[in-house]
């Protein structure tokens, strides 16, 4: 295994796109449905990138492509300098040791019919991480690492609560000693108090193991807490990306602002948020609006927005926005015309 | 031994007995199967011949056991062979799809186009009659059945997260098939197996009956039935024995497969009851005569209500008050009993659960006080939808998928009002417009699946408020929605509150931020008990119970470097701590907490906390 220089990003996605063509009727023409379009993204070791967006924005498809589970229609996805789509089956399986995934649904991500220990040992055995005689000790160590008793190894998933299952899923992901973890909404199905346990666990692991992490979520608070860099997606495209404190502190894209305003808060404002609540719903990806995908719901939209898809232009250091009317504004400030 | 394993004993023993008997046929002290005794043909049962003698005077018992050997071997053998081949084809086709699917499942399906008996006849004609050709014919015949069943099950399982997890772990596809997918497609496979064994036995009997299966004088059940048919008038019993053997064996195998299926599933089988078996304790359900409520009575006053399943208490002594126009949030984690409390108010508790104590006094429109916990089905139905109504979490599941949205709203209105035709339609459209569904005239004719998630939730709210209920119970109505849609729905609830000032609302949720946005008062539940209640702003400003304080601190809001997590998890209802139920996870817990459950304290007017240490919490 060649160690990449620490400055080079571990994971590089270049203008990734994924099309799911659908056909209407028996003889109908295939219709393009782009779940992800033109997404470029890099993640370095020890960095957590958060992907935020609502259902249907393509964030999970992006996660699967970055794991090599799904091949991009356009663009390239490379891990540690190797193009994933050029790899053969055995090569990909070998490389997948270094990339692991944590899923949203802690009830669906574990095989209900096998013991926890057997499922965690799978990765150890497949990639010969430890000699066969030490598999048991290693499973125990992994369980301890995620804060579960070692006796858990003999039990089956249905005997555990949601939070405990999510820890088991994390232990399984860690078993192959990965460098890169994709966490697809790992806490959305959990109770608040358990969410905090899992978020803290992921944070500790990232720090201790120097992992690169892609954290997919629709919960802005969790993302803000955990991530160094944020990517906001809407209808398959990145609409804003940048350092966490910039994107949340002074969001430049009207969608990011709307998302922030829509998120309920323990300390609700005076109710003026009412006007800020986004009207309408996500357009169908099969029939996206012309020009800027957000213009149908955008409070700032004007004629120019319909003509062309805006470019992802910098508004600050490492901070890009896809909006022709972009400007960093704090929530209190007036929107510049 | 688990309950499902115990259930295996009966069919397992019978099947083992049957198999042992036919296997041990050569060593059992049986009469010669071919030994004829023409003078005693059609003799009835006797000490020497327990089941009598057949048309050649041969011993029926011996022939039955030897015949079972042939019949069972052919049926079980071909069922197993077909299962192995068909499962392999189905797994490969279902997992890899594409060309592999064409070569495996689709190829096997060609056999399905041929009439089964004809196919069997063809094979037997080519290879000659006998046991092995029959096994081959039946194997070919049943392989596509298995392939199809396994193919369908595989397709369902392959998309599940735990299979994806195996893929992302770099496990070899064949290993995934055998280790992960095969055990999870076993249940339908077993069902198929029991059907095939039965059907193979019948076909074997049929072919032997036609003279194309087992060759006489080797006995088989089919052959026995065939020869007995000719002598039906003389010795009807000869027909009964092989038929009984056939039917009994098939039933045993079906039972065995059913029980095996439930034994192989590690998840406990949930006990459900048929509706008519619903326990009705007459004493608890005697409706008290409605009493005149005092003028200043709250809309709903739950006092010390408990809900239990058999002897397990899931909700204990919950008290809650809703005044007209007030929104009370019921907050807690999963397993806290918040949803059950809400369901009990509408009489929609699952069949196995019952309200075991306390009262829930509700003040009706006419100013009468009724106890919702003691009303019978008839009484609660009169209130449900009209005075008390409910909004569920999953609108996609709560709306009927085959009824148009408009019809479902109309149904809710008609249940309590005599509105028909034009007037009803106008009211429906008006309601849909009221909950913010765009283009309501057209949307009323849409089916639920044609609406987006947010619109479906609006439609369900329209159903709930169709009769201007006085108490609206919303069970996690925004949990499944995206942030911007959730904000829209919360806004809709706020609007409903403003426009119907007399309506009280119980808002069940696990999201504290939502509580802060919508509710006036909050009741925090933990492990089936109310731990704290009070006005939202006050409780959030200064929680007086360690659990509430920890919940608030665990919300990832604000700039805290590290989130405060509550260690451990909610105790199971079977192992509730003796004293304060939160004590094992509590930072403030002392010996006193584990000894006695804390009593209700009143830190301020209108506030309640159940904690010995409430003064030190914040």
């Amino acid at each position: 295994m060649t160690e990449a220089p620490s400055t080079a990003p571990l994971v590089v996605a270049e203008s990734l796109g994924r099309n799911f063509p659908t056909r209407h009727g028996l003889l109908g023409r295939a219709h393009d449905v782009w779940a992800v379009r033109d997404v470029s993204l890099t993640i370095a070791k020890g960095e957590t990138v958060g992907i935020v967006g609502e259902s249907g924005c393509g964030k999970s498809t992006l996660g699967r492509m970055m794991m090599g589970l799904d091949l991009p229609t356009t663009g390239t996805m490379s891990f540690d300098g190797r193009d994933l789509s050029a790899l053969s089956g055995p090569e990909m399986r070998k490389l997948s040791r270094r990339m692991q995934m944590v899923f949203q649904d802690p009830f669906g991500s574990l095989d209900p019919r096998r013991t926890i220990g057997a499922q965690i040992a799978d990765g150890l055995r497949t990639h010969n991480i430890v000699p066969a005689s030490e598999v048991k000790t290693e499973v125990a160590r992994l369980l301890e690492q995620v804060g579960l008793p070692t006796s858990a190894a003999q039990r089956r998933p249905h005997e555990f609560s949601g939070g405990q299952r999510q820890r088991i899923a994390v232990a399984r992901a860690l078993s192959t000693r990965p460098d890169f973890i994709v966490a697809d909404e790992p806490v959305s199905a959990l109770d608040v108090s358990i969410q905090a346990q899992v978020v803290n666990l992921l944070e500790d692991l990232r720090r201790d193991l120097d992992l690169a992490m892609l954290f997919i979520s629709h919960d802005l608070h969790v993302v803000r807490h955990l991530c160094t860099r944020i990517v906001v997606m809407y209808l398959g495209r990145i609409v804003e990306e940048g350092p966490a404190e910039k994107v949340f502190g002074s969001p430049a894209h009207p969608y990011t602002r709307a998302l922030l305003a829509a998120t309920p808060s323990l300390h609700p404002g005076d109710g003026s948020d009412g006007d800020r609540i986004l009207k309408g719903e996500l357009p169908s990806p099969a029939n996206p609006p012309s020009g800027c995908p957000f213009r149908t719901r955008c409070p700032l939209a004007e004629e120019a927005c319909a003509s062309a898809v805006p470019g992802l232009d910098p508004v600050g250091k490492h901070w890009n926005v896809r909006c022709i009317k972009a400007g960093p504004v704090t929530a209190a400030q007036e929107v510049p015309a | 031994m688990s309950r499902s394993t115990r259930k295996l004993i009966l069919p397992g023993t019978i099947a083992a007995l049957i198999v042992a008997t036919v296997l041990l046929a050569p060593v059992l002290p049986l009469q010669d199967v071919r030994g004829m005794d023409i003078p005693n043909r059609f003799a009835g049962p006797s000490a020497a011949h327990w089941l009598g003698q057949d048309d050649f005077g041969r011993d029926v018992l011996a022939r039955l056991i030897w015949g079972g050997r042939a019949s069972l071997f052919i049926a079980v053998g071909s069922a197993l062979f077909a299962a192995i081949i068909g499962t392999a084809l189905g797994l490969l086709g279902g997992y890899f799809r594409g060309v592999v699917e064409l070569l495996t499942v689709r190829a096997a399906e060609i056999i399905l186009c041929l009439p089964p008996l004809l196919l069997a006849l063809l094979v037997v004609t080519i290879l000659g009659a006998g046991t092995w050709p029959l096994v081959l014919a039946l194997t070919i015949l049943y392989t596509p059945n298995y392939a199809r069943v396994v193919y369908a099950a595989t397709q369902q399982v392959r998309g599940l997260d735990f299979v994806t997890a195996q893929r992302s772990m770099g496990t070899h596809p064949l290993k995934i098939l055998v280790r992960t997918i095969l055990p999870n497609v076993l249940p339908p496979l077993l069902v198929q197996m029991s059907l095939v064994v039965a059907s193979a036995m019948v076909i074997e009997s049929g072919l032997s009956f036609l003279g194309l299966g087992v060759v006489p004088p080797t006995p088989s059940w089919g052959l026995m039935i065939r020869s007995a048919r000719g002598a039906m008038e003389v010795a009807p019993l000869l027909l009964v024995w092989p038929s009984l053997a056939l039917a009994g064996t098939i039933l045993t195998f079906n039972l065995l497969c059913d029980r095996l299926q439930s034994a192989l599933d590690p998840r406990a089988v949930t006990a459900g009851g048929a509706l008519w078996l619903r326990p009705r304790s007459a004493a608890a359900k005697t409706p008290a005569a409605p009493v005149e409520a005092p003028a200043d009575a709250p809309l709903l006053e739950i006092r010390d209500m408990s809900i239990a399943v058999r002897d397990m208490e899931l909700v204990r002594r919950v008290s809650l008050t809703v005044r007209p126009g007030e929104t009370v949030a019921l907050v807690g984690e999963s397993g806290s009993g918040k949803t059950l409390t809400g369901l009990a108010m509408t009489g929609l508790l699952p069949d196995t659960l019952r309200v075991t104590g306390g009262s829930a006094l509700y003040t009706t429109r006419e100013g009468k006080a009724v106890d919702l916990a003691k009303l019978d089905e008839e009484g609660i139905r009169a209130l449900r939808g009209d005075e008390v109504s409910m909004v569920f979490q999953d609108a996609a599941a709560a709306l009927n998928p085959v009824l148009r949205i408009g019809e479902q709203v109309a149904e809710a209105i008609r249940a309590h009002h005599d509105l028909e035709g034009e007037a009803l339609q106008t009211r429906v459209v008006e309601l849909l417009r009221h909950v913010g569904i765009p283009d309501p005239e057209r949307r009323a004719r849409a089916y639920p699946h044609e609406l987006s998630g947010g619109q479906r939730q609006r439609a369900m709210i329209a159903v709930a408020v169709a009769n201007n209920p006085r108490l609206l119970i919303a069970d996690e109505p925004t949990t499944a929605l995206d942030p911007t849609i959730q904000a829209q729905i919360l806004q809709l609830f706020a609007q409903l509150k403003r426009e119907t000032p007399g309506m009280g609302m119980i808002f069940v949720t696990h999201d504290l931020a939502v509580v802060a946005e919508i509710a006036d008062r909050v009741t925090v539940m933990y492990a089936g008990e109310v731990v704290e209640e009070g006005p939202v702003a006050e409780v959030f400003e200064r929680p007086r119970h360690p659990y509430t304080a920890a919940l608030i601190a665990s919300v990832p809001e604000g700039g805290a470097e590290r989130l405060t997590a509550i260690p451990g998890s909610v105790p199971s209802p079977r192992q509730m701590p003796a004293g304060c139920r939160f004590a094992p996870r509590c930072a403030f817990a002392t010996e006193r907490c584990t000894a006695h459950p804390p009593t209700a304290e009143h830190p301020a007017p209108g506030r309640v906390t159940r904690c010995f240490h409430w003064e030190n919490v914040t």
Side-chain angles (χ1 to χ4, degrees), chain A residues 13-18 34 39 71-78 83 85:
Chain A
E14 230 168 303
S15 48
L16 284 187
R18 181 73 171 97
W34 289 90
V39 169
L71 288 180
T73 317
T74 62
T76 52
M77 169 67 219
S78 54
D83 183 357
S85 49

Side-chain angles (χ1 to χ4, degrees), chain B residues 405-434:
Chain B
I405 294 295
E407 290 169 30
Q408 303 197 38
V409 178
E411 209 173 50
I413 301 173
R414 267 203 309 262
H416 298 282
H417 296 276
D418 289 326
L419 220 54
E420 280 303 331
E422 202 66 10
L424 184 65
Q425 273 318 309
T426 321
R427 174 84 183 121
V428 166
V429 169
E430 187 186 307
L431 268 167
L432 290 179
R433 184 175 295 122
H434 187 63

Side-chain angles (χ1 to χ4, degrees), chain A residues 87-106:
Chain A
L87 293 177
S88 70
E91 280 177 313
M92 182 65 220
R93 284 201 287 278
K94 201 151 168 267
L95 192 63
S96 60
R97 178 193 73 75
R98 302 178 55 196
M99 310 187 274
Q100 288 299 317
M101 192 155 180
V102 178
F103 298 86
Q104 169 175 10
D105 177 14

